[in-house]
Amino acid sequence: MSKLGRIESSQPLADRRGDILDAAARAFMRQGFAATSLDRVSDEIGSTKGAIYYYYRSKSELFFAVHRRGMELTEAAIRPSFEAKLSARERLHGMAVAHTILVIDRLPYLRVIAQGLELHLLERTNESERAELAEVAALREANENLYIRVIQDGAESGEFRPVDAKLAAKPLLGALNWTSRWYQPRSGETQAAKKRLAEQIADFVVAGLEKKK
């Protein structure tokens, strides 16, 4: 029996998409888009390229799917704090903590996102890829808009300094997403330790918006 047959018999085919995306995120994180082959991704999950082609027609399509999944994970992480019945400062702090913990826990996805789609695909996109790029960009903008709205709320309530919320969101998100560049998992690191780190980063980014006393 082929490797593909063994894998597909061990669990439902519909369940393989998450495994494939996780493997692709790890491969793209380590090697970048250009150097990553579908053979490399299939090796990550002990499969063949056939299992990948069942879902994704090309490496570019898989790359976009990794970005899309990362954006969806980000939205799911920050939305609860965004929707909480709390002050703007508390909401923004909660969003920043959740965002940073996501970076730490799902590092391959967030590091691939931080690398930037345009750096890999801008000069070689076809019409289909440009449509995928626009879709991922819309997801990224939607997540950014959640931050913008909370910053606006804080400025209007007097919790934050009067700022251009769209402009202020850029360095704030830059600081949160930059965590994916410098963070390295540590042996034995507990979830409590990860949360303490995330809270320190959240304290820093929120303090930059608060009024000086």
Side-chain angles (χ1 to χ4, degrees):
M1 182 182 294
S2 69
K3 285 196 291 183
L4 178 58
R6 289 197 300 271
I7 283 180
E8 292 178 356
S9 63
S10 64
Q11 59 178 287
L13 188 60
D15 292 344
R16 297 302 294 165
R17 192 188 305 269
D19 293 338
I20 292 168
L21 290 178
D22 288 350
R26 292 192 299 269
F28 288 132
M29 177 183 71
R30 289 196 296 264
Q31 300 174 318
F33 175 80
T36 298
S37 66
L38 291 184
D39 283 323
R40 181 59 180 159
V41 175
S42 65
D43 287 344
E44 286 276 345
I45 55 174
S47 179
T48 67
K49 285 192 292 187
I52 299 174
Y53 280 125
Y54 183 87
Y55 298 107
Y56 306 105
R57 293 169 295 180
S58 67
K59 183 173 74 169
S60 292
E61 186 173 318
L62 179 59
F63 188 66
F64 282 119
V66 169
H67 276 259
R68 190 180 301 107
R69 177 61 175 152
M71 297 300 175
E72 291 168 349
L73 290 169
T74 302
E75 194 270 344
I78 66 177
R79 182 165 287 279
S81 291
F82 170 78
E83 295 180 345
K85 303 299 183 182
L86 299 169
S87 68
R89 187 204 179 281
E90 291 171 318
R91 291 162 63 205
L92 184 62
H93 191 274
M95 291 168 69
V97 169
H99 193 139
T100 305
I101 290 175
L102 176 68
V103 172
I104 293 170
D105 285 343
R106 306 302 295 266
L107 185 62
Y109 283 95
L110 278 295
R111 188 170 287 176
V112 169
I113 288 174
Q115 291 172 357
L117 284 167
E118 294 85 353
L119 294 178
H120 300 283
L121 299 173
L122 185 61
E123 296 182 356
R124 56 181 300 277
T125 53
N126 56 37
E127 184 176 352
S128 174
E129 289 172 339
R130 286 193 292 274
E132 293 264 24
L133 180 58
E135 181 181 345
V136 172
L139 292 173
R140 179 170 55 193
E141 183 178 353
N143 288 339
E144 183 174 330
N145 282 339
L146 298 183
Y147 282 97
I148 291 170
R149 288 166 61 184
V150 174
I151 294 171
Q152 287 175 332
D153 289 346
E156 291 172 1
S157 68
E159 296 172 70
F160 300 149
R161 295 179 289 103
V163 293
D164 180 328
K166 289 184 178 181
L167 179 61
K170 299 294 185 183
L172 184 149
L173 283 168
L176 297 180
N177 290 326
W178 193 255
T179 306
S180 68
R181 298 297 187 100
W182 59 260
Y183 174 78
Q184 293 294 333
R186 292 178 286 278
S187 177
E189 186 176 29
T190 64
Q191 202 64 27
K194 295 175 184 179
K195 186 176 181 181
R196 286 194 297 272
L197 174 60
E199 287 175 341
Q200 291 176 26
I201 294 172
D203 289 345
F204 172 77
V205 298
V206 173
L209 290 168
E210 293 177 315
K211 285 184 175 180
K212 294 183 179 180
K213 297 181 180 179

